[in-house]
Amino acid sequence: MNGCTWSHLEMLTLSRHSLTSSSSSSSSSLLKPFSFISNLSYNSNNHFIKTPFSFSFSTRLYTSSTNNNPSLIMAASTTEKKNEALLPQNGSTQIANHPVQVAKRLEKFKTTIFTQMSTLAIQHGAINLGQGFPNFDGPEFVKEAAIQAIKDGKNQYARGHGIPDFNAAIAARFKKDTGLVVDPEKEITVTSGCTEAIAATILGLINPGDEVILFAPFYDSYEATLSMAGAKIKCITLCPPDFSIPIDELKSAISKNTRAILMNTPHNPTGKMFTREELNIISSLCIENDVLVFSDEVYDKLAFEMDHISIASLPGMYERTVTLNSLGKTFSLTGWKIGWAIAPPHLIWGVRQAHSYLTFATSTPMQWAGIAALTAPESYFVELKRDYAAKKKILLEGLKDVGFKVFPSSGTYFVIVDHTPFGQENDIAFCEYLIKEVGVVAIPTSVFYLNPEEGKNLVRFTFCKDEGTLNAAVERMKEKLKKK
């Protein structure tokens, strides 16, 4: 196999929304198929072996009406001279000119907007206020606990639904936050991040054809996972300035055919927090119509203007709620992917069944470190909120000074703004302009809606960055971004 190496290439494609938006004259050309030519053959043990190959690839991404050049053209080509000595004597199998293959339930989903924008950020040296990961590290006492667990040999598979001590720590934290007492052995399942908790919940409890209600804009994995489960999605749109729930529309949407409501509070991307009044209405409708609630609460410790309320804590709701959470946002350890689901035994059973065949178990040493995290003194959470409040102030005041219309953000580390004062025709065109001409990254929100038109005037910024980064981004926008 001398001289034969694989090349590494990340294929980027445009999100489905920017490809299919019918209203925009600046829609990109559709992705052209790539070609892949590879020589595969069998060895004497009937295993595939790789022989020299050639690979060619080309894709075009979004093109703005103000610039006829593609936003990003990525091409790669690798060729290697055929080595006859490596070819098998009994023939070989050759694959040529095949289009990308994906199951129908996922064919409308493309590479995420976060990957696209982060790639453009690197290409143009832009400050990334788009993707929601901190550019600072998590607390030392949690990292040291992970290191110690590794040194202590806690490196093999964990128990499928979580190591006992971590489950107990989750239960204790949940009691402190909500007043609810749960059985750590029967009502908690540890997952590989909250995204897996969401997937396990949907795949474990939703059948093909079941109706699920979402509030748009929504975290993009919701729709994709519901699609994998074959669910029927109904969407309720939250509109600026306060993104409050349109109660009459929700009452009309929910029915005996509704299996579940999937909600997120504090809410990504808007920063909205569901009020007690809204949660009470959701609860009464769910009880009346025998509807489940899947509640994503990963930003529960980033609540600024009001206290976070877990819907499971409301009367009659624990028995029909799966509460989803993780370590990543609260402890600035998003790469660890430690999450969990909390639900009564009759619901957690389905979650565990799906989890068993998704990842089976979650990182053992990181679960041990999670114990240190969840048992942190209350002073840690107070300081966390204070630090983020200071970052939020820098960004929100800066965005207002630049000329954006800034909408209230009561929780999370995101803020939504109206970009229209700057003259770009939609959110994707604006974000592309902001990266290329100003050197700052935001996320277009149209990708968070079933109907992209509803988000075309809005973009999302994040303030989970150090204060120097936030100030630098604001200064760039003040200098280069002008109203039109």
Side-chain angles (χ1 to χ4, degrees):
M1 305 295 287
N2 293 335
C4 184
T5 59
W6 292 110
S7 64
H8 298 278
L9 180 64
E10 180 184 15
M11 186 180 78
L12 298 177
T13 61
L14 187 61
S15 82
R16 65 183 182 86
H17 295 295
S18 57
L19 284 173
T20 60
S21 177
S22 60
S23 65
S24 172
S25 61
S26 60
S27 296
S28 75
S29 300
L30 293 176
L31 178 69
K32 294 183 179 179
F34 68 83
S35 63
F36 181 93
I37 302 172
S38 174
N39 292 318
L40 299 176
S41 59
Y42 294 102
N43 63 13
S44 58
N45 295 319
N46 288 322
H47 293 151
F48 277 118
I49 59 173
K50 180 175 70 68
T51 59
F53 68 98
S54 66
F55 180 93
S56 64
F57 170 101
S58 178
T59 181
R60 296 183 63 191
L61 291 187
Y62 183 87
T63 304
S64 166
S65 62
T66 60
N67 182 353
N68 290 325
N69 293 321
S71 303
L72 175 62
I73 296 179
M74 212 176 110
S77 139
T78 303
T79 58
E80 297 186 31
K81 187 175 179 181
K82 200 171 184 180
N83 187 338
E84 296 295 341
L86 293 176
L87 293 178
Q89 299 301 312
N90 58 348
S92 66
T93 301
Q94 188 176 70
I95 303 172
N97 297 323
H98 280 266
V100 173
Q101 296 189 28
V102 65
K104 289 184 181 299
R105 61 184 173 271
L106 289 176
E107 63 186 1
K108 66 180 178 180
F109 300 101
K110 307 298 180 183
T111 300
T112 70
I113 196 68
F114 306 108
T115 298
Q116 295 175 45
M117 291 298 156
S118 294
T119 301
L120 284 175
I122 295 169
Q123 191 176 44
H124 293 276
I127 297 172
N128 194 342
L129 301 188
Q131 195 166 0
F133 58 85
N135 69 339
F136 46 86
D137 216 353
E140 289 298 320
F141 71 92
V142 182
K143 294 187 293 182
E144 287 299 326
I147 292 169
Q148 190 61 51
I150 292 170
K151 289 181 176 179
D152 289 346
K154 296 171 179 175
N155 301 304
Q156 306 308 320
Y157 289 130
R159 187 179 63 169
H161 60 278
I163 62 174
D165 288 0
F166 186 43
N167 287 47
I170 294 169
R173 183 77 248 174
F174 194 59
K175 180 182 178 182
K176 187 174 291 186
D177 291 341
T178 67
L180 294 170
V181 177
V182 299
D183 186 333
E185 293 301 298
K186 297 179 180 179
E187 299 175 82
I188 293 173
T189 298
V190 176
T191 59
S192 297
C194 190
T195 299
E196 196 223 331
I198 294 164
T201 298
I202 291 171
L203 295 173
L205 295 173
I206 297 298
N207 289 308
D210 281 352
E211 186 178 281
V212 178
I213 292 176
L214 292 181
F215 295 103
F218 47 76
Y219 176 48
D220 60 350
S221 84
Y222 295 170
E223 184 190 1
T225 308
L226 287 169
S227 178
M228 284 188 270
K232 178 183 177 182
I233 299 173
K234 275 190 176 180
C235 207
I236 306 294
T237 300
L238 309 179
C239 298
D242 59 1
F243 299 98
S244 60
I245 296 175
I247 299 301
D248 289 341
E249 187 178 347
L250 176 60
K251 288 180 177 178
S252 297
I254 199 167
S255 71
K256 298 297 182 182
N257 297 322
T258 306
R259 170 65 169 163
I261 294 175
L262 174 52
M263 57 177 283
N264 172 214
T265 182
H267 183 256
N268 173 19
T270 67
K272 169 194 170 52
M273 293 186 64
F274 285 44
T275 65
R276 183 174 291 275
E277 179 184 6
E278 290 173 327
L279 293 173
N280 281 333
I281 291 171
I282 293 171
S283 298
S284 63
L285 290 171
C286 288
I287 292 170
E288 178 184 346
N289 293 281
D290 192 23
V291 172
L292 303 178
V293 171
F294 306 150
S295 186
D296 177 354
E297 301 180 12
V298 295
Y299 299 99
D300 63 333
K301 293 296 181 289
L302 297 176
F304 302 106
E305 273 75 42
M306 64 181 75
D307 291 334
H308 169 72
I309 301 170
S310 179
I311 195 169
S313 67
L314 300 184
M317 285 306 294
Y318 180 72
E319 67 189 58
R320 63 182 63 254
T321 301
V322 182
T323 304
L324 309 159
N325 213 322
S326 74
L327 289 181
K329 307 301 189 295
T330 302
F331 294 94
S332 303
L333 297 166
T334 60
W336 284 19
K337 301 297 289 180
I338 302 295
W340 56 86
I342 303 174
H346 69 281
L347 295 180
I348 207 68
W349 174 252
V351 178
R352 286 187 179 180
Q353 287 296 95
H355 166 68
S356 294
Y357 298 102
L358 287 171
T359 60
F360 172 66
T362 296
S363 172
T364 302
M366 301 313 179
Q367 288 190 58
W368 284 102
I371 299 168
L374 294 182
T375 57
E378 288 305 304
S379 59
Y380 171 82
F381 302 100
V382 172
E383 184 178 349
L384 175 79
K385 189 181 295 189
R386 184 175 63 244
D387 288 348
Y388 267 113
K391 297 176 191 299
K392 176 185 172 183
K393 183 178 180 181
I394 291 171
L395 182 60
L396 268 63
E397 290 183 355
L399 292 171
K400 290 175 182 176
D401 290 343
V402 170
F404 289 101
K405 183 177 180 180
V406 180
F407 298 111
S409 174
S410 298
T412 75
Y413 42 52
F414 301 115
V415 59
I416 293 284
V417 303
D418 186 330
H419 68 80
T420 56
F422 301 99
Q424 298 295 321
E425 63 180 315
N426 59 41
D427 57 328
I428 297 175
F430 174 79
C431 287
E432 183 184 62
Y433 175 85
L434 190 67
I435 292 173
K436 289 183 172 182
E437 304 300 328
V438 181
V440 175
V441 182
I443 293 294
T445 65
S446 58
V447 300
F448 303 131
Y449 293 83
L450 285 185
N451 176 10
E453 279 292 292
E454 295 178 335
K456 71 176 184 178
N457 292 336
L458 308 175
V459 297
R460 189 194 78 179
F461 289 94
T462 183
F463 50 89
C464 60
K465 311 296 177 183
D466 62 71
E467 294 184 7
T469 298
L470 295 171
N471 282 314
V474 168
E475 288 305 311
R476 284 191 185 187
M477 288 187 281
K478 285 181 178 179
E479 179 184 350
K480 298 180 180 180
L481 193 56
K482 305 300 179 185
K483 287 186 176 182
K484 295 182 181 179

